[in-house]
Every structure is written in C-alpha cells, then in structure tokens.
Amino acid sequence: MRLSGISTLLAGVLLFLSANGAGWLLAHATEQVQQVQNVQVQGGNPIAVEKPTAIIASKTAKIKALIQAAIQDSPQPFSGSVILLLQGKPQLELQKGEGIHQDSRFVLASLSKQITATLVLQAVDAGKLDLTLSLNHYLFGELDGDNKVRNGADANSTAEALNSHRYDARITLHHLLTHTSGVDKLGKANRFAPGSQFEYSNLGYSLLGQVLEKANQQSFAEQVAQFAKRYQLHGLSVELGSLAAIHAKTPSFAIGLQESAVIAPADLVLDEALLPAGGLTASAPAYAAFQHLLHSGKLLSAASYERMTTAYTAIPFLWPNMHYGYGMRINQDDGLVEYSHTGYLTGYMAMTLHYPELNLDLVMLENLALNLNDRDRVFALHNQIRQLIRSQLALPHADKGGTAR
C-alpha cells in the first residue's frame, strides 16, 4: 500500500466535528407506534419518557425547510447532495448542481475515516486486533509478551523509540484512531510522545488501513467492497485512478470541481494510500445508511460502539468544545449530544451529523471545493446548517407531564 503523495492529495485542512460520549440513548420508533420514547435513568433504572410524535414531526419539518432555504439562498456556489434521516427514514433528499442526482457518488474525503474506524473495531470484535498493541507489532510482527505497550520512563525515551526501519515503538492502534500518535514517516522521529497531544493525521489512518490488510489478509479495497455488500450499502465503493477515468467507468461518479481563480475540474488521483484516510466514494443515501446502521448498533458490539463514541481528547476546531473519539468528533454543548465529522479534499467537501436524542442524521456530500484562501467563506454553509439544526433541537420541548427541559 503506497503512502507517497498522501500529504499533497490531502493538502489543506480536512475539517471535522464531533461530540462527547454519553447522553441520550437512541429513540425508537415505527410507523405503527404513535409516540416515540426516549430512555432516561432514574435511581439507576431506565424509565421511558414519552415524546409526542407531533413534536418530532414539527421539529423535523422545520429543519427540512431551513436546510432547503439555506442551500437555495447561499451566496457561495453549491454542487452536491444532501439527505436528512429521521429514525433511518428519509425526510429530505436534495440535489443541486450540473449532473447531480440521487445516486451520484462523491469522494468522501475525511468521512472515509469513520468507515476505517468501523472496520478496525469490527476486527477488534472478531479478536483480530488489540487496540493496546503497537503499530510495529501488526506491521512488522514486533512487541509481544510483556512489551505490549511501552510506558513509564521508557515511553519518554525518543532514542529507544526511534529505529530507521520502524515507526515509533510506543504508537498503539488507539493513538492512531484518536490522532494522538504523532506518527511521522517511516524511520523519522515522532512529532511528539504518543498520547501527549492531538494532531490530525491522515498518515495515521492510512497506516490503520495497512494494519487491517495484515490482520484480515486482504486488501483494504476488498474489505470495503465486502463491507458494502454485507450491509447492502449500494453506492459505497472503492475507485482508483484519475477522476475522469473513474467517471468514464462509473457515470454516476461526480467529477470534483476546485474553485481558484475559476472553477475547474480537480487535479486529483485516487490511490490505495488515500483510501482509508480520505479516498472512499459513496452516494449520500449510501453513507446515510451506513451512519444509521452504525448508530443503531448493527455494525459494532456495544463495547466497541462505546469506544468509538468516547471523547478521548479535546481538539482545537472552528467550533468550540470539540472532542475526538474513533473516527468521529463529539460535542455536548446546549444539552445536545452530537457525533459528527467533516472533510475537505481537492474537488470535494463533506459533512455528517448525528443527534441521538431524535435519531436524526444529516449527510452532505459536495463535488465543489471552495477556495481555501477564505476559510470562513468555505465552511459558512456547513456552519449555518449545523447551527440551524441545533437551534431546533435545543429548543425547550414538552416531557411527559407537561414539564420542559
């Protein structure tokens, strides 16, 4: 699996969001049930709290209208596909841009990391990976027995950790998943002691792809293809090559556009090294289906889902009070639990949001990447849509008995 060129391909900022682990449990609803229940804990025991369907429907309708208006009235050009799910059912499917339709496929940019993290945790559930073992253990068959994790005084020894033919010996899979590894190119000294700070690392997720290949004895691309087939995620795929070549083979693939002095087709080539960190492709409905399965407990054990949604480290970000789990960002401001991620790659932008209180999902995939010379402008629409959703979900609403919270 080649790592050359990934820094160039992922130049700029791959933006991201997320939220702090615990909070509301998933609401459950069916078309036959007239009321939706949330689960709260009182005296150590779960109790059902009824939430009238009319309130949920009103909030969702308002969010739908606000998203439509925001995209329609946006001063920035927009080309892409947006889907809003409630309880896994589409409430809004919006496409805008030349040649864009419901089945259009986009490069996911950093949303790919959520799929990579899911595959890693599935391998943990299968007993193939241990998050406390070192990167070198899986790539080179090193560090077994009592040397699973170097710690204490030894963990601060750069000389001990440095080997010209190995990565820093202290790096574990947990560090890679949380962007706290400090990993650098093979043989180079680490950027910092693993676990001591957060630094977003596309290289780290590419290395996780290599670990998966070793553990499963199968290419990362084949693993993604099998994952998509197993869970019927039609529209999630791996594509390699230039954008024009991929479009010629797969007409539903949307060629990325890059804004500079003019808007022109992006100069991007998808290779194997890019896949785990930012190179997977999907339609908006396919990624939304993946997200719904993930948060509905269909993809991971309860223990692994808790690992993924635990806030391990605070992160600097455009939005305040953000934390990182495994392949997702976490926020708990305003009494809302929010799991999210965003992405920026030459020719493509993306955002995904999940709010477990109402089991509400938003997926926004774009094949037009705005010029990074004005970051506020680039992410203005993402910021606006996130805020309008939060403004509706954070409004006081009736609990059982007529009280507000």
Side-chain angles (χ1 to χ4, degrees), residues 33-34 38-39 53 75 129 132 141 143 191 212 262 269 282 288 345 363 379 385 395-396 402:
V33 177
Q34 297 304 308
N38 280 337
V39 176
T53 302
L129 293 178
T132 67
L143 242 64
R191 299 173 64 83
L212 283 166
V262 297
V269 176
L345 181 66
V363 173
F379 304 108
I385 288 176
L395 289 174

Side-chain angles (χ1 to χ4, degrees), residues 99-101 103-107 234-256 270 281-283 348:
I100 302 301
H101 50 83
D103 297 325
S104 291
R105 301 187 188 189
F106 304 79
V107 181
H234 308 299
L236 170 64
S237 64
V238 170
E239 307 291 346
L240 299 172
S242 69
L243 303 185
I246 295 170
H247 178 73
K249 182 182 68 173
T250 309
S252 61
F253 178 77
I255 293 179
L270 301 182
T281 63
S283 65
Y348 299 91

Side-chain angles (χ1 to χ4, degrees), residues 248-282:
K249 182 182 68 173
T250 309
S252 61
F253 178 77
I255 293 179
L257 304 171
Q258 186 65 40
E259 180 192 51
S260 53
V262 297
I263 294 176
D267 183 17
L268 176 66
V269 176
L270 301 182
D271 66 10
E272 291 181 353
L274 182 60
L275 296 177
L280 299 180
T281 63

Side-chain angles (χ1 to χ4, degrees), residues 283-306:
S283 65
Y287 196 88
F290 156 72
Q291 183 163 291
H292 177 67
L293 289 172
L294 174 64
H295 293 294
S296 298
K298 304 295 178 58
L299 303 183
L300 300 174
S301 68
S304 283
Y305 182 76
E306 183 177 0

